[in-house]
Amino acid sequence: MTTTADIQFPAKLSPLFTAHRYKVVFGGRGSGKSWGVARALLLQGIEKPLRILCCREIQKSIKDSVHRLLADQVVALKLEAQYHVYETEIRGTNGTEFLFSGLSAQTSISLKSYEGIDRAWVEEAQNVSKKSWDILTPTIRKAASEIWITFNPVLDTDETYQRFVVAPPTDSVVIEMNYHDNPWFPPALDQERLHTLATSEEDYANIWGGQCRTSVAGAIYAREIMEAVKDHRICPVPYDPRLKVHTVWDLGWNDSTSILCVQRGRAEIRIVDYIEEHQRTLDYYAATLNARAWNWGFDYLPHDGFTRDYKTGRSAEEILRGFGRTVQPRERSIPSVSVEEGIRACRMFLSQVIFDQGKTARLVECLKRYRRSIPASTGEPAAPLHDEFSHGADAMRYLSLVASKLTNEDDVAPPIRMQQYMQIDQALGALG
Ligand SMILES: Nc1ncnc2c1ncn2[C@@H]1O[C@H](COP(=O)(O)OP(=O)(O)O)[C@@H](O)[C@H]1O
Ligand SMILES: [Mg+2]
């Protein structure tokens, strides 16, 4: 335990009292991250006047912020003589000030008003986007200024986790803390912890163990992705020239177009490549595919690939054929089944799939993040969310619907073989 006056901190938090550009505290619930940082900042703001910006990704009102936590700590630490708590600010009698702001609403210009900040505390930082980090970090530029970051991780591909845990910047101290590092871990929280322990292994590892999840909470393919990770089916999957490469498409313009490049192995379906772009015309995709000197099979389009565009009078099928692609005709392409039916098919299908680790990373990311909306009115999961991750997941669902049709044969309809010709000839001959 580290003690400052008679205020105590978990031992792991002692680096909060030495100078570092980035102080990153991450881990599971109840480890003392928020309390420790709040207390440390209040104490440091008494030692000398500091401008402290408390931020989070989204702050709709001051209630979303750490204002309340800081105000409670002012009372708990008996610092009422040193701090005045106002509705949207906390001010020290020595000139220290705590300001509160959401990052998502900021631009680099609006954040300018925060120059001169000595400490930025980013709480719930797992939700902070790349854009917000790119705006915030250069704004905190005063000499000896520091950025303090607290969060419970979600996915290891999240921007915050990548930026501050996987590859932290120079002069970062990165502290991992869990409930057992908190000497004051309250009994009420321990009951919750034991409840999670009894109900869900993955929730427990994430919520209390501070480990990353394999998919976001409520992900539609959560179990299937966890299995794929466990079975090492996200691995190097090189193109095999002996097998055909088929493609499965989800078409979009403002939305992404997603294309899976798939090979049928003996017992498995191999996804060897994945293309996702938006606002590109079909010639671009055809050229991107044709640039690969591959043993091409068929292109499978969803139903909208066969409807004629009212402006050009041509369908995606016709255009792609014009660029040398071999598109499966409508009746052999992706069947029109409901989204829910497709999701069920995809769930069963995913256990046969292996993903190329590098080339399909974006696809795997989409599958980890494909989830249902949960309307506040019901609190129940509803339809799958249409967002930047749904297109890859849609293409995957389409693949599950055509996977049984993918072969390594050359032709759509198997040609009549010589033997059959002879049989037919003989039959005709017998007829006289
Ligand atoms: N420095 C501390 N002194 C006394 N109690 C603490 C301290 N830090 C944490 N606690 C207790 O542990 C609980 C969890 O701490 P908190 O900071 O909210 O954890 P986290 O932010 O990691 O979820 C607090 O509600 C409080 O009861
Ligand atoms: Mg906290």
Side-chain angles (χ1 to χ4, degrees), residues 240-300:
D240 182 339
R242 293 166 304 176
L243 306 175
K244 296 274 181 214
V245 180
H246 304 280
T247 66
V248 178
W249 299 52
D250 179 48
L251 295 163
W253 174 253
N254 283 324
D255 285 349
S256 298
T257 286
S258 301
I259 308 171
L260 307 181
C261 296
V262 184
Q263 295 196 298
R264 166 176 283 286
R266 212 177 303 184
E268 75 292 342
I269 295 285
R270 310 176 184 179
I271 308 190
V272 293
D273 208 348
Y274 177 66
I275 295 163
E276 184 182 310
E277 298 260 4
H278 61 104
Q279 295 185 347
R280 298 266 198 186
T281 45
L282 291 164
D283 57 318
Y284 167 83
Y285 297 108
T288 304
L289 294 169
N290 291 341
R292 293 157 170 80
W294 280 355
N295 178 11
W296 289 111
F298 295 100
D299 298 330
Y300 289 82

Side-chain angles (χ1 to χ4, degrees), residues 26-38:
F26 78 101
R29 187 182 291 170
S31 55
K33 301 183 293 295
S34 304
W35 273 46
V37 164

